Amino acid sequence: MDTLTLTYIVVGATFALYIGIAIWSKAASTGEYYVAAKGVHPVANGMATAADWMSAASFISMAGIIAFSGYDGSVYLMGWTGGYVLLAMLLAPYLRKFGKYTVPDFIGERYYSQTARVVAIICALFISFTYVAGQMRGVGIVFSRYLEVDIDLGVIIGMVIVFIYAVLGGMKGITYTQVAQYIVMIFAYTIPAIFISLLVTGHVFPQIGFGAEVQDTGVPVLERLNGLLTELGFDEYTSGSKSKVDVFFIVLALMVGTAGLPHVIVRFFTVPRVRDARLSAGWALVFIAILYTTAPAVAAFARTNLIQTVSNAEYAQLPSWFQTWEHAGLIAWQDKNNDGRIQYHAGKAFEGAPQFTGEQGPQGQRLISNPPADNPNELYVDNDIMVLANPEIAQLPAWVIALVAAGGLAAALSTAAGLLLVISTSISHDLLKKNLTPNISERGELLAARISAAVAIIIAGYFGINPPGFVAQVVAFAFGLAASSFFPAIILGIFYKRMNREGAVSGMIVGLTFTFGYIVYFKFVNPAANTADNWWFGISPEGIGALGMIFNLIVALVVSRLTAPPPEHIQHLVEDIRVPRGAGAAQSH
């Protein structure tokens, strides 16, 4: 059976499973739609949380970033995993004890203010739409390659699938769908890694193979990769180019951003008890660690295999995977010296991403319309294809390639569904029920939630078709926005009873505005200025959320001290949230 047919079967079977689960667990009330009626087992919730959090950025793009940036890519591993520890220890149990449905709900009640609630809704929408853009882009990439359709059509197909199970099942349907998606995702990520580790080093576990020697040469994997890269003019894989300041701020932004992501936080409202919230976070760390400890090995193996396969190879003799990915527009070759061979060197092959003319060159390659950059490199490779193309480069069986396609889609769709639920609940529950139309019926609120989700899917699809960057980069921006807006308001709301609404609102506005403005300026308004010489204090747009968080904290604390303290009942509420009764049932206020 050929790869395409097998991929259709495997992907189709997983889609049928997701839709079947959604139908089986259809939400019949707002409690089921928002928080799965608070009845999810902590192990299942930990698995669903891992799937919700390990998005297309983790599955598709993170190993690609590490493969091409080496040591510098470790900031994603440190920041994202460290953030989960922060979430488990400082936020999850207390927010679960508070007993509300959403982060804006917590902000609105804790800061006794509809203005604070509205600002929190705006923050949630900014973060969620930024984040979901990366997921829909990931869906389009997988579909374009494995189902041999246009990226835009792939995004639309993904929109339809998410619409069915997210709009129908709500949090109840999404939770059990995400459990299935985690299982698909983790098998899809680890099985190819095990195969390649065995082929390259003879070790079953990729984590061990990563530090082992290449078979038949006796040279360690990283030493071999360093040698290949330096021969081609690249920096050593194990060397870092980022400044210590930038590394610190990126890691910090990713950590506190993780702890402030609304679609992750809401997962801890779905368990029966406060203790279960902490257990859920612990299980999520276990499930996440399986993929995250495998990613560095996948990255190193993928970059090594790519170099050995394509560098100085005759285009006409390359395996079929190269032409397939070339057709998808995610890899490209320009024969600058007309020798028919791929010259892979340091530097950009083209001015920006390749633009294809629709014609073929003498070797059968797709011709590029935008002029090549003034350097000898002839190869363009999109970061986001490394995990997806790795099994094909290593010539693994067709069923492994089909499994990777299903895993990539599971990663993107699971997170997209969680984000869309945040968007719909922010509008139906926080904006309508708690603000504009407090007398709306439960049926009306549920209908509004589903309509909001449908509209959000359409907007998310637009961002997927017109993405503002590659997948992990877009997601990193979402983490920065979460770090600069939600995290200070939540952490101060739990641990500082003197924090009032004026301080919280001012801090969120300042943090979000500064971070969003910084990112937009360097990424969209003046991308030519996006260099370390022009950054504030040497902090890149990926790490600026940490500085936005600091500004948020300073403004919030200063304003709160200059204005009236919160009412007495709010201060008692904060004290009650922190009472260590983790083993008991959660109390709703």
Side-chain angles (χ1 to χ4, degrees), residues 107-136:
I107 298 291
E109 294 292 329
R110 164 60 181 87
Y111 294 113
Y112 51 97
S113 168
Q114 291 293 67
T115 302
R117 187 188 303 275
V118 171
V119 172
I121 292 169
I122 293 170
C123 292
L125 294 177
F126 261 115
I127 294 163
S128 299
F129 275 119
T130 304
Y131 204 150
V132 82
Q135 310 317 305
M136 301 313 294

PDB file of all heavy atoms in Angstrom, residues 107-136:
ATOM      1  N   ILE A 107     -10.471  37.132  37.351  1.00  0.00           N
ATOM      2  CA  ILE A 107     -10.037  38.531  37.393  1.00  0.00           C
ATOM      3  C   ILE A 107     -11.205  39.441  37.777  1.00  0.00           C
ATOM      4  O   ILE A 107     -11.065  40.340  38.625  1.00  0.00           O
ATOM      5  CB  ILE A 107      -9.464  38.964  36.028  1.00  0.00           C
ATOM      6  CG1 ILE A 107      -8.224  38.136  35.670  1.00  0.00           C
ATOM      7  CG2 ILE A 107      -9.150  40.452  36.022  1.00  0.00           C
ATOM      8  CD1 ILE A 107      -7.023  38.391  36.510  1.00  0.00           C
ATOM      9  N   GLY A 108     -12.369  39.229  37.163  1.00  0.00           N
ATOM     10  CA  GLY A 108     -13.527  40.069  37.442  1.00  0.00           C
ATOM     11  C   GLY A 108     -13.993  39.976  38.875  1.00  0.00           C
ATOM     12  O   GLY A 108     -14.318  40.990  39.511  1.00  0.00           O
ATOM     13  N   GLU A 109     -14.044  38.746  39.422  1.00  0.00           N
ATOM     14  CA  GLU A 109     -14.506  38.555  40.809  1.00  0.00           C
ATOM     15  C   GLU A 109     -13.447  39.011  41.808  1.00  0.00           C
ATOM     16  O   GLU A 109     -13.763  39.674  42.797  1.00  0.00           O
ATOM     17  CB  GLU A 109     -14.838  37.077  41.030  1.00  0.00           C
ATOM     18  CG  GLU A 109     -16.015  36.565  40.215  1.00  0.00           C
ATOM     19  CD  GLU A 109     -17.330  37.170  40.653  1.00  0.00           C
ATOM     20  OE1 GLU A 109     -17.468  37.487  41.855  1.00  0.00           O
ATOM     21  OE2 GLU A 109     -18.226  37.324  39.805  1.00  0.00           O
ATOM     22  N   ARG A 110     -12.191  38.642  41.563  1.00  0.00           N
ATOM     23  CA  ARG A 110     -11.141  38.986  42.513  1.00  0.00           C
ATOM     24  C   ARG A 110     -10.941  40.504  42.595  1.00  0.00           C
ATOM     25  O   ARG A 110     -10.692  41.054  43.671  1.00  0.00           O
ATOM     26  CB  ARG A 110      -9.827  38.295  42.086  1.00  0.00           C
ATOM     27  CG  ARG A 110      -8.554  38.828  42.738  1.00  0.00           C
ATOM     28  CD  ARG A 110      -8.577  38.694  44.252  1.00  0.00           C
ATOM     29  NE  ARG A 110      -7.358  39.227  44.835  1.00  0.00           N
ATOM     30  CZ  ARG A 110      -7.155  40.503  45.163  1.00  0.00           C
ATOM     31  NH1 ARG A 110      -8.103  41.411  44.946  1.00  0.00           N
ATOM     32  NH2 ARG A 110      -6.026  40.876  45.720  1.00  0.00           N
ATOM     33  N   TYR A 111     -11.086  41.182  41.456  1.00  0.00           N
ATOM     34  CA  TYR A 111     -10.862  42.621  41.441  1.00  0.00           C
ATOM     35  C   TYR A 111     -12.168  43.409  41.397  1.00  0.00           C
ATOM     36  O   TYR A 111     -12.162  44.594  41.046  1.00  0.00           O
ATOM     37  CB  TYR A 111      -9.931  42.990  40.277  1.00  0.00           C
ATOM     38  CG  TYR A 111      -8.534  42.428  40.479  1.00  0.00           C
ATOM     39  CD1 TYR A 111      -8.037  41.425  39.643  1.00  0.00           C
ATOM     40  CD2 TYR A 111      -7.736  42.870  41.517  1.00  0.00           C
ATOM     41  CE1 TYR A 111      -6.771  40.899  39.846  1.00  0.00           C
ATOM     42  CE2 TYR A 111      -6.475  42.345  41.727  1.00  0.00           C
ATOM     43  CZ  TYR A 111      -5.994  41.352  40.893  1.00  0.00           C
ATOM     44  OH  TYR A 111      -4.745  40.834  41.110  1.00  0.00           O
ATOM     45  N   TYR A 112     -13.277  42.716  41.730  1.00  0.00           N
ATOM     46  CA  TYR A 112     -14.589  43.339  41.942  1.00  0.00           C
ATOM     47  C   TYR A 112     -14.863  44.444  40.929  1.00  0.00           C
ATOM     48  O   TYR A 112     -15.269  45.565  41.259  1.00  0.00           O
ATOM     49  CB  TYR A 112     -14.672  43.890  43.391  1.00  0.00           C
ATOM     50  CG  TYR A 112     -13.517  44.772  43.839  1.00  0.00           C
ATOM     51  CD1 TYR A 112     -13.597  46.171  43.793  1.00  0.00           C
ATOM     52  CD2 TYR A 112     -12.334  44.201  44.283  1.00  0.00           C
ATOM     53  CE1 TYR A 112     -12.534  46.954  44.179  1.00  0.00           C
ATOM     54  CE2 TYR A 112     -11.270  44.985  44.679  1.00  0.00           C
ATOM     55  CZ  TYR A 112     -11.369  46.369  44.617  1.00  0.00           C
ATOM     56  OH  TYR A 112     -10.322  47.156  45.006  1.00  0.00           O
ATOM     57  N   SER A 113     -14.645  44.102  39.658  1.00  0.00           N
ATOM     58  CA  SER A 113     -14.717  45.142  38.634  1.00  0.00           C
ATOM     59  C   SER A 113     -15.078  44.563  37.275  1.00  0.00           C
ATOM     60  O   SER A 113     -14.434  43.616  36.819  1.00  0.00           O
ATOM     61  CB  SER A 113     -13.365  45.867  38.538  1.00  0.00           C
ATOM     62  OG  SER A 113     -13.301  46.687  37.386  1.00  0.00           O
ATOM     63  N   GLN A 114     -16.084  45.153  36.625  1.00  0.00           N
ATOM     64  CA  GLN A 114     -16.411  44.774  35.265  1.00  0.00           C
ATOM     65  C   GLN A 114     -15.342  45.276  34.299  1.00  0.00           C
ATOM     66  O   GLN A 114     -15.073  44.632  33.279  1.00  0.00           O
ATOM     67  CB  GLN A 114     -17.782  45.343  34.865  1.00  0.00           C
ATOM     68  CG  GLN A 114     -18.958  44.706  35.607  1.00  0.00           C
ATOM     69  CD  GLN A 114     -19.139  43.248  35.236  1.00  0.00           C
ATOM     70  OE1 GLN A 114     -18.304  42.403  35.546  1.00  0.00           O
ATOM     71  NE2 GLN A 114     -20.241  42.952  34.538  1.00  0.00           N
ATOM     72  N   THR A 115     -14.711  46.397  34.625  1.00  0.00           N
ATOM     73  CA  THR A 115     -13.627  46.897  33.784  1.00  0.00           C
ATOM     74  C   THR A 115     -12.467  45.903  33.761  1.00  0.00           C
ATOM     75  O   THR A 115     -11.901  45.607  32.694  1.00  0.00           O
ATOM     76  CB  THR A 115     -13.124  48.261  34.289  1.00  0.00           C
ATOM     77  OG1 THR A 115     -14.208  49.191  34.301  1.00  0.00           O
ATOM     78  CG2 THR A 115     -12.000  48.790  33.401  1.00  0.00           C
ATOM     79  N   ALA A 116     -12.114  45.383  34.935  1.00  0.00           N
ATOM     80  CA  ALA A 116     -11.049  44.386  35.007  1.00  0.00           C
ATOM     81  C   ALA A 116     -11.418  43.142  34.202  1.00  0.00           C
ATOM     82  O   ALA A 116     -10.574  42.551  33.511  1.00  0.00           O
ATOM     83  CB  ALA A 116     -10.777  44.006  36.462  1.00  0.00           C
ATOM     84  N   ARG A 117     -12.697  42.748  34.279  1.00  0.00           N
ATOM     85  CA  ARG A 117     -13.156  41.580  33.523  1.00  0.00           C
ATOM     86  C   ARG A 117     -13.009  41.818  32.011  1.00  0.00           C
ATOM     87  O   ARG A 117     -12.546  40.945  31.274  1.00  0.00           O
ATOM     88  CB  ARG A 117     -14.619  41.262  33.867  1.00  0.00           C
ATOM     89  CG  ARG A 117     -15.123  39.961  33.254  1.00  0.00           C
ATOM     90  CD  ARG A 117     -16.630  39.821  33.471  1.00  0.00           C
ATOM     91  NE  ARG A 117     -16.985  39.876  34.884  1.00  0.00           N
ATOM     92  CZ  ARG A 117     -16.960  38.839  35.691  1.00  0.00           C
ATOM     93  NH1 ARG A 117     -16.608  37.656  35.235  1.00  0.00           N
ATOM     94  NH2 ARG A 117     -17.305  38.967  36.961  1.00  0.00           N
ATOM     95  N   VAL A 118     -13.410  43.010  31.560  1.00  0.00           N
ATOM     96  CA  VAL A 118     -13.336  43.318  30.128  1.00  0.00           C
ATOM     97  C   VAL A 118     -11.882  43.353  29.661  1.00  0.00           C
ATOM     98  O   VAL A 118     -11.553  42.836  28.580  1.00  0.00           O
ATOM     99  CB  VAL A 118     -14.042  44.656  29.819  1.00  0.00           C
ATOM    100  CG1 VAL A 118     -13.781  45.096  28.385  1.00  0.00           C
ATOM    101  CG2 VAL A 118     -15.544  44.520  30.066  1.00  0.00           C
ATOM    102  N   VAL A 119     -11.004  43.966  30.452  1.00  0.00           N
ATOM    103  CA  VAL A 119      -9.579  43.984  30.094  1.00  0.00           C
ATOM    104  C   VAL A 119      -9.043  42.553  30.011  1.00  0.00           C
ATOM    105  O   VAL A 119      -8.280  42.214  29.089  1.00  0.00           O
ATOM    106  CB  VAL A 119      -8.769  44.806  31.118  1.00  0.00           C
ATOM    107  CG1 VAL A 119      -7.265  44.653  30.859  1.00  0.00           C
ATOM    108  CG2 VAL A 119      -9.161  46.270  31.061  1.00  0.00           C
ATOM    109  N   ALA A 120      -9.452  41.704  30.957  1.00  0.00           N
ATOM    110  CA  ALA A 120      -9.014  40.305  30.937  1.00  0.00           C
ATOM    111  C   ALA A 120      -9.555  39.580  29.705  1.00  0.00           C
ATOM    112  O   ALA A 120      -8.866  38.735  29.116  1.00  0.00           O
ATOM    113  CB  ALA A 120      -9.469  39.595  32.207  1.00  0.00           C
ATOM    114  N   ILE A 121     -10.787  39.882  29.303  1.00  0.00           N
ATOM    115  CA  ILE A 121     -11.361  39.286  28.085  1.00  0.00           C
ATOM    116  C   ILE A 121     -10.532  39.685  26.870  1.00  0.00           C
ATOM    117  O   ILE A 121     -10.209  38.841  26.018  1.00  0.00           O
ATOM    118  CB  ILE A 121     -12.827  39.729  27.912  1.00  0.00           C
ATOM    119  CG1 ILE A 121     -13.709  39.119  29.009  1.00  0.00           C
ATOM    120  CG2 ILE A 121     -13.357  39.307  26.534  1.00  0.00           C
ATOM    121  CD1 ILE A 121     -15.107  39.723  29.049  1.00  0.00           C
ATOM    122  N   ILE A 122     -10.180  40.965  26.781  1.00  0.00           N
ATOM    123  CA  ILE A 122      -9.371  41.448  25.656  1.00  0.00           C
ATOM    124  C   ILE A 122      -8.017  40.735  25.640  1.00  0.00           C
ATOM    125  O   ILE A 122      -7.537  40.302  24.583  1.00  0.00           O
ATOM    126  CB  ILE A 122      -9.191  42.973  25.745  1.00  0.00           C
ATOM    127  CG1 ILE A 122     -10.541  43.680  25.533  1.00  0.00           C
ATOM    128  CG2 ILE A 122      -8.175  43.462  24.708  1.00  0.00           C
ATOM    129  CD1 ILE A 122     -10.506  45.160  25.827  1.00  0.00           C
ATOM    130  N   CYS A 123      -7.405  40.587  26.815  1.00  0.00           N
ATOM    131  CA  CYS A 123      -6.127  39.879  26.896  1.00  0.00           C
ATOM    132  C   CYS A 123      -6.276  38.434  26.432  1.00  0.00           C
ATOM    133  O   CYS A 123      -5.445  37.919  25.672  1.00  0.00           O
ATOM    134  CB  CYS A 123      -5.591  39.904  28.328  1.00  0.00           C
ATOM    135  SG  CYS A 123      -5.081  41.530  28.920  1.00  0.00           S
ATOM    136  N   ALA A 124      -7.339  37.763  26.896  1.00  0.00           N
ATOM    137  CA  ALA A 124      -7.568  36.367  26.522  1.00  0.00           C
ATOM    138  C   ALA A 124      -7.748  36.229  25.015  1.00  0.00           C
ATOM    139  O   ALA A 124      -7.232  35.284  24.400  1.00  0.00           O
ATOM    140  CB  ALA A 124      -8.795  35.821  27.255  1.00  0.00           C
ATOM    141  N   LEU A 125      -8.472  37.157  24.413  1.00  0.00           N
ATOM    142  CA  LEU A 125      -8.699  37.090  22.974  1.00  0.00           C
ATOM    143  C   LEU A 125      -7.403  37.351  22.203  1.00  0.00           C
ATOM    144  O   LEU A 125      -7.113  36.665  21.213  1.00  0.00           O
ATOM    145  CB  LEU A 125      -9.781  38.093  22.566  1.00  0.00           C
ATOM    146  CG  LEU A 125     -11.192  37.806  23.105  1.00  0.00           C
ATOM    147  CD1 LEU A 125     -12.162  38.903  22.699  1.00  0.00           C
ATOM    148  CD2 LEU A 125     -11.696  36.447  22.623  1.00  0.00           C
ATOM    149  N   PHE A 126      -6.623  38.333  22.636  1.00  0.00           N
ATOM    150  CA  PHE A 126      -5.336  38.607  21.997  1.00  0.00           C
ATOM    151  C   PHE A 126      -4.452  37.362  22.029  1.00  0.00           C
ATOM    152  O   PHE A 126      -3.887  36.941  21.008  1.00  0.00           O
ATOM    153  CB  PHE A 126      -4.620  39.746  22.724  1.00  0.00           C
ATOM    154  CG  PHE A 126      -4.772  41.084  22.056  1.00  0.00           C
ATOM    155  CD1 PHE A 126      -5.445  42.120  22.676  1.00  0.00           C
ATOM    156  CD2 PHE A 126      -4.214  41.315  20.807  1.00  0.00           C
ATOM    157  CE1 PHE A 126      -5.582  43.359  22.058  1.00  0.00           C
ATOM    158  CE2 PHE A 126      -4.334  42.549  20.183  1.00  0.00           C
ATOM    159  CZ  PHE A 126      -5.030  43.568  20.815  1.00  0.00           C
ATOM    160  N   ILE A 127      -4.308  36.792  23.222  1.00  0.00           N
ATOM    161  CA  ILE A 127      -3.433  35.633  23.397  1.00  0.00           C
ATOM    162  C   ILE A 127      -3.929  34.452  22.568  1.00  0.00           C
ATOM    163  O   ILE A 127      -3.160  33.799  21.841  1.00  0.00           O
ATOM    164  CB  ILE A 127      -3.365  35.239  24.888  1.00  0.00           C
ATOM    165  CG1 ILE A 127      -2.672  36.345  25.690  1.00  0.00           C
ATOM    166  CG2 ILE A 127      -2.627  33.914  25.069  1.00  0.00           C
ATOM    167  CD1 ILE A 127      -2.906  36.251  27.179  1.00  0.00           C
ATOM    168  N   SER A 128      -5.217  34.170  22.657  1.00  0.00           N
ATOM    169  CA  SER A 128      -5.772  32.980  22.012  1.00  0.00           C
ATOM    170  C   SER A 128      -5.704  33.071  20.495  1.00  0.00           C
ATOM    171  O   SER A 128      -5.357  32.090  19.822  1.00  0.00           O
ATOM    172  CB  SER A 128      -7.220  32.763  22.475  1.00  0.00           C
ATOM    173  OG  SER A 128      -7.276  32.570  23.872  1.00  0.00           O
ATOM    174  N   PHE A 129      -6.029  34.238  19.941  1.00  0.00           N
ATOM    175  CA  PHE A 129      -5.979  34.366  18.483  1.00  0.00           C
ATOM    176  C   PHE A 129      -4.535  34.330  17.972  1.00  0.00           C
ATOM    177  O   PHE A 129      -4.265  33.785  16.896  1.00  0.00           O
ATOM    178  CB  PHE A 129      -6.681  35.650  18.025  1.00  0.00           C
ATOM    179  CG  PHE A 129      -8.166  35.494  17.867  1.00  0.00           C
ATOM    180  CD1 PHE A 129      -9.046  36.258  18.615  1.00  0.00           C
ATOM    181  CD2 PHE A 129      -8.696  34.570  16.983  1.00  0.00           C
ATOM    182  CE1 PHE A 129     -10.424  36.115  18.481  1.00  0.00           C
ATOM    183  CE2 PHE A 129     -10.063  34.407  16.839  1.00  0.00           C
ATOM    184  CZ  PHE A 129     -10.935  35.181  17.581  1.00  0.00           C
ATOM    185  N   THR A 130      -3.599  34.902  18.737  1.00  0.00           N
ATOM    186  CA  THR A 130      -2.190  34.821  18.342  1.00  0.00           C
ATOM    187  C   THR A 130      -1.714  33.378  18.354  1.00  0.00           C
ATOM    188  O   THR A 130      -1.041  32.914  17.427  1.00  0.00           O
ATOM    189  CB  THR A 130      -1.319  35.662  19.293  1.00  0.00           C
ATOM    190  OG1 THR A 130      -1.806  36.995  19.318  1.00  0.00           O
ATOM    191  CG2 THR A 130       0.125  35.657  18.838  1.00  0.00           C
ATOM    192  N   TYR A 131      -2.092  32.667  19.410  1.00  0.00           N
ATOM    193  CA  TYR A 131      -1.677  31.273  19.573  1.00  0.00           C
ATOM    194  C   TYR A 131      -2.316  30.380  18.508  1.00  0.00           C
ATOM    195  O   TYR A 131      -1.667  29.530  17.900  1.00  0.00           O
ATOM    196  CB  TYR A 131      -2.088  30.803  20.971  1.00  0.00           C
ATOM    197  CG  TYR A 131      -1.286  29.657  21.535  1.00  0.00           C
ATOM    198  CD1 TYR A 131      -1.099  29.551  22.906  1.00  0.00           C
ATOM    199  CD2 TYR A 131      -0.724  28.684  20.728  1.00  0.00           C
ATOM    200  CE1 TYR A 131      -0.374  28.506  23.461  1.00  0.00           C
ATOM    201  CE2 TYR A 131       0.000  27.639  21.272  1.00  0.00           C
ATOM    202  CZ  TYR A 131       0.172  27.556  22.634  1.00  0.00           C
ATOM    203  OH  TYR A 131       0.881  26.520  23.170  1.00  0.00           O
ATOM    204  N   VAL A 132      -3.602  30.567  18.261  1.00  0.00           N
ATOM    205  CA  VAL A 132      -4.317  29.674  17.352  1.00  0.00           C
ATOM    206  C   VAL A 132      -3.840  29.844  15.915  1.00  0.00           C
ATOM    207  O   VAL A 132      -3.960  28.917  15.095  1.00  0.00           O
ATOM    208  CB  VAL A 132      -5.846  29.888  17.457  1.00  0.00           C
ATOM    209  CG1 VAL A 132      -6.311  31.073  16.614  1.00  0.00           C
ATOM    210  CG2 VAL A 132      -6.608  28.621  17.050  1.00  0.00           C
ATOM    211  N   ALA A 133      -3.269  31.011  15.582  1.00  0.00           N
ATOM    212  CA  ALA A 133      -2.726  31.211  14.231  1.00  0.00           C
ATOM    213  C   ALA A 133      -1.651  30.171  13.933  1.00  0.00           C
ATOM    214  O   ALA A 133      -1.602  29.607  12.828  1.00  0.00           O
ATOM    215  CB  ALA A 133      -2.159  32.621  14.100  1.00  0.00           C
ATOM    216  N   GLY A 134      -0.788  29.904  14.933  1.00  0.00           N
ATOM    217  CA  GLY A 134       0.260  28.905  14.750  1.00  0.00           C
ATOM    218  C   GLY A 134      -0.292  27.515  14.571  1.00  0.00           C
ATOM    219  O   GLY A 134       0.228  26.712  13.787  1.00  0.00           O
ATOM    220  N   GLN A 135      -1.377  27.200  15.275  1.00  0.00           N
ATOM    221  CA  GLN A 135      -1.955  25.862  15.172  1.00  0.00           C
ATOM    222  C   GLN A 135      -2.556  25.620  13.791  1.00  0.00           C
ATOM    223  O   GLN A 135      -2.372  24.561  13.188  1.00  0.00           O
ATOM    224  CB  GLN A 135      -3.025  25.658  16.246  1.00  0.00           C
ATOM    225  CG  GLN A 135      -2.614  26.024  17.651  1.00  0.00           C
ATOM    226  CD  GLN A 135      -1.229  25.552  17.991  1.00  0.00           C
ATOM    227  OE1 GLN A 135      -0.915  24.370  17.864  1.00  0.00           O
ATOM    228  NE2 GLN A 135      -0.371  26.473  18.411  1.00  0.00           N
ATOM    229  N   MET A 136      -3.297  26.588  13.294  1.00  0.00           N
ATOM    230  CA  MET A 136      -3.927  26.418  11.989  1.00  0.00           C
ATOM    231  C   MET A 136      -2.870  26.369  10.886  1.00  0.00           C
ATOM    232  O   MET A 136      -3.030  25.656   9.886  1.00  0.00           O
ATOM    233  CB  MET A 136      -4.924  27.536  11.721  1.00  0.00           C
ATOM    234  CG  MET A 136      -6.048  27.630  12.754  1.00  0.00           C
ATOM    235  SD  MET A 136      -6.833  26.044  13.157  1.00  0.00           S
ATOM    236  CE  MET A 136      -7.621  25.637  11.602  1.00  0.00           C
TER     237      MET A 136
END
